Amino acid sequence: MKPALDALREVDTALAAALAQVFAGDALHEASDDSVLEAMAVAGSILRRVEGLLIEATDVVRGRSEGPRDERMTTRVGCASLSEVVQRTTRMSGASAGVLMRGAGAVHRERSMTSGEWLPAMLPGLRAAMIEGAVGSDGVAAASVLVEASGRVDRDALLLADAALGEAARGITRDAATGAAESGPHASAGELRVLAQVWASVLDQDGAEPVEASAMRRRGLTVGPVRDGLARVSGDVLAEVAAQWQRNCDALSNPRVRGGAGVGFAPDGEGADGDEGAGGVEGAGVDDVITAPRDTRTRAQKMHDALATSLDVAARSGELPTVGGGAPTLVVYAREGDVLAGTGWAEVEGINEPVGIGLAERVGCCGSIQRVTCDDRGRIVGLSVTDRVFNAIQRKAISLRDGGCVIPGCHVPAGWCEIHHATDHALGGPTHTDNGVLLCWVHHRTLPTSGWSIMMIDGVPHVRGPAWWDPERRWRPAAGSRLQQRVRVAESRHGGAPPERLRRQDGVPEGQLLRRSR
């Protein structure tokens, strides 16, 4: 082994010298496009060959780390696991070490118990491609799905799949009719992963059942205790549950990731569902059309908000089992004085620590309030209920008027929104269509701090945005539903007065000017 190690050290030294020339004087930045691509290709070739050596070495360490703990190689070198050995010797991350270990399993070889000779690898074709430098660790690890199916698949069939993967890694394609080999582009690691999955699904017709049974046993979610206002959720969900959650996230996540903070026409003036004029009122003047704000939430935050909205919609759908004779209801306890003052703490049933009083205000905005009066000794002496919930008929009417969340650029549909009291109920705002406005879960909870304001003028929601988005800070009518937009277009075409037919069918409700929300 010493001559081979000496040769590797010479390669390392030569590579270091070559790289020094590349980095000296920023030569790569001054190179032509073709030279940059060629440098990347050469570096990729070197990387694949090195990764092949690392996979082989990882397989050797794993073979020597089986058996009693005191006799394992991992124990002799002072490491707790194979992953730790790989990480410490290569300075890789745990994820990268896992890729090497999966790759080692795909090209693993055994010795014959009788002759002591090396037997063919689990996937000999892929191993040969690895030795040639045609495939790296990601590509080899991608074939682990075939290794998992090897116990349920005929060996000859497995070798056919292995040969197909090896040829794809080398850039060899087969004519479907004649089977003749042709040269083509080398498959990437991602393409090899897809090819391996296809072969596994074809060869292992019964493989889905044990996988699904295992998934059903291992499924689960845990919700940790609340600390600093957050509870950690962890676990594994079934594939269809993850897919449905992802679909909900796609439907609820604001697709507008561009847009500026000034006044002008939106560069992409259609909403997620094709609604025109998502950033303003259709048919309005230039001064009334403004760009939609950029959604600054991270992907993880969008996933969280979509889950919160889904849970809220499910809770008020009326289709969930009852709890204590009623629908699953979030119960928040707070002192009336704290709610009116906007300071202090609240308690949520089922949560182990107090929460900010703002939660009580938000829940009370779209829920009912039950007042419990106690005497000095704690005895309950009075009960009263204030109905602040918009009924089903009111909700349908408000949905017809608003169409969805009224914040410009937000495309959450009406069915997923909550109804916000534009003038707080505690300040005398009625539970009336002239005082109710649709807001999504995110904008409802961030309204006091986000810089957005809502005001009802003659029963029509008007929105004023933060200064960074609209420097003029003008009150602008919400875009409304498509039906309402058509009414405004008809008005603009008939001198400001809609045709009698539209007036009777789609007239905007009359109302008085209400105080704007805090």
Side-chain angles (χ1 to χ4, degrees):
M1 184 63 188
K2 187 177 183 304
L5 285 175
D6 291 339
L8 287 175
R9 293 190 185 97
E10 292 177 1
V11 170
D12 185 37
T13 301
L15 180 60
L19 291 177
Q21 296 179 22
V22 171
F23 288 111
D26 294 326
L28 196 61
H29 292 272
E30 304 298 332
S32 64
D33 293 349
D34 292 340
S35 296
V36 172
L37 294 178
E38 186 176 356
M40 292 181 67
V42 172
S45 176
I46 295 172
L47 179 62
R48 290 191 299 272
R49 296 179 189 279
V50 171
E51 287 178 342
L53 175 60
L54 289 175
I55 289 175
E56 186 77 356
T58 299
D59 187 36
V60 171
V61 176
R62 181 170 61 180
R64 297 181 182 181
S65 299
E66 297 174 348
R69 178 173 296 275
D70 293 341
E71 300 177 6
R72 298 175 185 173
M73 179 178 175
T74 52
T75 303
R76 292 196 299 271
V77 298
C79 292
S81 64
L82 173 61
S83 178
E84 184 180 354
V85 173
V86 175
Q87 292 181 60
R88 291 190 181 279
T89 54
T90 64
R91 307 177 195 175
M92 288 183 172
S93 66
S96 298
V99 171
L100 292 179
M101 290 188 291
R102 290 196 301 274
V107 297
H108 174 68
R109 294 183 301 164
E110 296 281 355
R111 281 186 182 272
S112 171
M113 298 293 293
T114 56
S115 64
E117 297 180 352
W118 287 106
L119 300 176
M122 175 69 69
L123 300 177
L126 197 62
R127 175 183 171 82
M130 180 192 75
I131 295 174
E132 296 172 12
V135 62
S137 59
D138 286 336
V140 177
S144 59
V145 63
L146 290 176
V147 177
E148 295 170 359
S150 61
R152 303 183 297 271
V153 174
D154 180 74
R155 177 64 180 173
D156 292 337
L158 187 67
L159 291 178
L160 286 176
D162 166 58
L165 289 176
E167 289 184 345
R170 296 185 182 91
I172 300 174
T173 59
R174 294 280 178 180
D175 184 87
T178 65
E182 301 175 354
S183 297
H186 296 260
S188 66
E191 293 167 335
L192 289 176
R193 179 176 293 106
V194 172
L195 183 59
Q197 291 171 345
V198 170
W199 270 100
S201 63
V202 171
L203 298 180
D204 188 15
Q205 296 290 336
D206 299 327
E209 183 175 352
V211 170
E212 291 179 355
S214 174
M216 284 293 292
R217 291 193 303 270
R218 294 185 292 112
R219 78 190 190 282
L221 281 176
T222 59
V223 181
V226 174
R227 293 188 177 91
D228 299 326
L230 295 172
R232 176 169 292 277
V233 179
S234 60
D236 298 284
V237 299
L238 296 174
E240 63 269 24
V241 176
Q244 183 61 59
W245 186 12
Q246 185 63 61
R247 293 295 294 170
N248 288 2
C249 292
D250 293 341
L252 292 169
S253 296
N254 187 350
R256 188 181 296 276
V257 295
R258 300 189 302 275
V263 178
F265 287 103
D268 47 354
E270 290 191 357
D273 54 358
D275 289 352
E276 296 182 0
V281 180
E282 187 176 347
V286 173
D287 292 338
D288 292 325
V289 183
I290 51 181
T291 58
R294 184 178 183 272
D295 193 343
T296 59
R297 292 176 296 165
T298 65
R299 176 64 180 169
Q301 289 171 337
K302 291 180 180 179
M303 296 280 283
H304 168 275
D305 296 346
L307 175 61
T309 303
S310 301
L311 294 175
D312 180 65
V313 172
R316 53 184 167 86
S317 66
E319 298 182 4
L320 294 177
T322 60
V323 178
T329 305
L330 181 65
V331 181
V332 181
Y333 305 95
R335 294 177 64 252
E336 184 176 17
D338 292 340
V339 175
L340 294 177
T343 60
W345 298 90
E347 299 285 342
V348 180
E349 186 176 303
I351 300 299
N352 62 312
E353 70 172 26
V355 298
I357 199 66
L359 176 60
E361 296 176 341
R362 293 190 296 269
V363 172
C365 180
C366 53
S368 61
I369 296 179
Q370 177 176 326
R371 287 181 170 84
V372 181
T373 305
C374 301
D375 61 16
D376 295 339
R377 295 177 299 173
R379 178 189 176 193
I380 298 175
V381 297
L383 287 174
S384 64
V385 178
T386 301
D387 188 6
R388 300 161 51 103
V389 181
F390 289 86
N391 60 41
I393 296 177
Q394 290 174 315
R395 184 178 184 89
K396 290 178 181 178
I398 294 173
S399 299
L400 172 65
R401 182 195 67 202
D402 296 348
C405 181
V406 299
I407 300 298
C410 183
H411 307 297
V412 175
W416 293 83
C417 290
E418 301 171 347
I419 301 182
H420 166 68
H421 286 78
T423 298
D424 195 352
H425 190 277
L427 299 177
T431 303
H432 188 276
T433 53
D434 284 353
N435 192 41
V437 60
L438 292 182
L439 288 176
C440 69
W441 186 91
V442 177
H443 288 121
H444 196 185
R445 277 147 186 78
T446 60
L447 189 63
T449 58
S450 62
W452 293 97
S453 298
I454 307 293
M455 180 169 64
M456 303 294 290
I457 301 177
D458 294 333
V460 177
H462 282 62
V463 181
R464 184 172 69 180
W468 62 262
W469 177 70
D470 180 11
E472 298 182 9
R473 298 222 65 199
R474 294 174 50 191
W475 288 102
R476 305 174 186 273
S481 65
R482 294 173 65 93
L483 188 60
Q484 291 294 325
Q485 293 179 27
R486 290 203 299 271
V487 170
R488 286 191 287 272
V489 170
E491 290 177 351
S492 65
R493 295 180 59 189
H494 293 82
E500 185 63 25
R501 178 179 60 83
L502 289 176
R503 185 195 304 276
R504 291 195 305 269
Q505 178 180 350
D506 307 323
V508 178
E510 296 181 358
Q512 301 298 320
L513 175 64
L514 300 177
R515 293 190 299 272
R516 62 184 174 88
S517 62
R518 292 177 294 155

